[in-house]
Amino acid sequence: MVNNMELIRVYKALSNPTRVQILQWLKEPSKYFPEVYPDGVCVSDIQKKVQLSQSTVSQYLSTLQDVGLIESTRKGQWTYYKRNEVQIKEIKRCIMDHI
Amino acid sequence: MVNNMELIRVYKALSNPTRVQILQWLKEPSKYFPEVYPDGVCVSDIQKKVQLSQSTVSQYLSTLQDVGLIESTRKGQWTYYKRNEVQIKEIKRCIMDHI
DNA sequence: ATTGCATATCGAGATTTCTAAATATATAAT
DNA sequence: ATTATATATTTAGAAATCTCGATATGCAAT
């Protein structure tokens, strides 16, 4: 269950076009990124596409992760991100009741 | 059809707890407001409940209306607001595909 | 015409978000 | 040990949002 305040934070996370864009690219990662690993896509590949600084992209990914929309796996020096579809489904369900 | 940028504006509108609260109260106006008119609830009744200034509430309602979540009807010196359920349904549908 | 009431708009200070550069951390390769 | 690479964190200025008081607008009643 995603409560009221958590949903507000989800809306905040989604109220930035770049963050939403990333979330959408991650729906079909192989379509949008040069390499897709078992745990998702690495930060630098995402950064190349969004054309914002490395630190900004890293923070955006943290923001999306903080609200549960994506999840990360660290492997060596890389961090791979992918959508957390289970949580996204739950968030969607809650938004339906919320609005 | 609600496009990408319009949805971003919807998320922005929803990323404020008070605005979401108002939207939720308007689901069952007679439960939360002293008087409900055919076209909805007047600004001053909403203002009394949220305990923010009149100008803030007026702007919040404009914000919600701008993105289509509520609609207004002016009758004399009053403006009544109610949910735009048709548009909300459409927005929900688009959010489902969007996220 | 004037007064009073409901709402909208304007202007501004406080707070938050955006974004980058610089720095830190962690790992890999030499 | 040193160097290089990937990512995270810190710091800070610019831009946007929040919120209010003041003012404007529009309508109703006198």
Side-chain angles (χ1 to χ4, degrees):
Chain A
M1 242 301 272
V2 185
N3 73 29
N4 237 50
M5 274 312 170
E6 284 164 354
L7 277 185
I8 299 283
R9 298 203 313 133
V10 170
Y11 297 136
K12 271 192 218 278
L14 294 173
S15 67
N16 175 290
T18 304
R19 285 193 295 264
V20 170
Q21 178 72 267
I22 292 169
L23 201 59
Q24 285 172 344
W25 283 334
L26 291 176
K27 278 183 179 174
E28 300 173 86
S30 61
K31 185 170 171 182
Y32 297 106
F33 298 101
E35 280 181 285
V36 182
Y37 301 88
D39 294 306
V41 179
C42 68
V43 179
S44 48
D45 280 351
I46 297 171
Q47 194 254 318
K48 275 172 206 125
K49 267 191 88 73
V50 303
Q51 292 285 44
L52 289 173
S53 75
Q54 184 269 321
S55 73
T56 298
V57 173
S58 180
Q59 282 174 235
Y60 279 5
L61 292 168
S62 287
T63 300
L64 290 171
Q65 183 172 19
D66 287 346
V67 301
L69 290 164
I70 62 178
E71 56 195 326
S72 72
T73 310
R74 183 108 204 194
K75 281 272 168 61
Q77 49 199 324
W78 287 274
T79 306
Y80 300 101
Y81 284 94
K82 67 174 176 184
R83 289 165 60 95
N84 185 339
E85 294 292 358
V86 170
Q87 184 67 5
I88 286 174
K89 183 168 285 185
E90 176 67 5
I91 286 169
K92 281 183 180 181
R93 208 179 53 66
C94 291
I95 289 175
M96 288 305 92
D97 299 347
H98 197 231
I99 303 178
Chain B
M1 241 301 271
V2 184
N3 73 30
N4 235 51
M5 275 311 172
E6 284 164 355
L7 277 184
I8 299 283
R9 298 204 312 134
V10 169
Y11 298 135
K12 271 192 217 279
L14 293 173
S15 66
N16 176 290
T18 304
R19 284 193 296 262
V20 170
Q21 179 72 268
I22 292 170
L23 201 59
Q24 285 171 345
W25 282 334
L26 290 177
K27 276 181 180 175
E28 301 173 86
S30 61
K31 184 171 175 183
Y32 297 106
F33 298 101
E35 280 181 285
V36 182
Y37 301 87
D39 294 306
V41 179
C42 67
V43 178
S44 48
D45 281 351
I46 297 172
Q47 194 254 317
K48 274 172 206 126
K49 267 191 89 71
V50 301
Q51 291 287 43
L52 289 173
S53 73
Q54 184 269 321
S55 71
T56 299
V57 174
S58 180
Q59 283 175 233
Y60 279 7
L61 293 168
S62 287
T63 300
L64 290 170
Q65 183 172 20
D66 286 347
V67 301
L69 290 164
I70 61 177
E71 55 194 326
S72 72
T73 311
R74 183 108 204 193
K75 280 274 169 57
Q77 48 198 325
W78 286 274
T79 307
Y80 301 102
Y81 284 94
K82 67 174 175 183
R83 290 164 60 93
N84 184 340
E85 295 293 359
V86 170
Q87 185 65 6
I88 286 175
K89 182 168 286 185
E90 176 67 6
I91 286 169
K92 281 183 177 180
R93 207 178 55 67
C94 290
I95 289 176
M96 287 306 93
D97 299 346
H98 197 230
I99 303 179

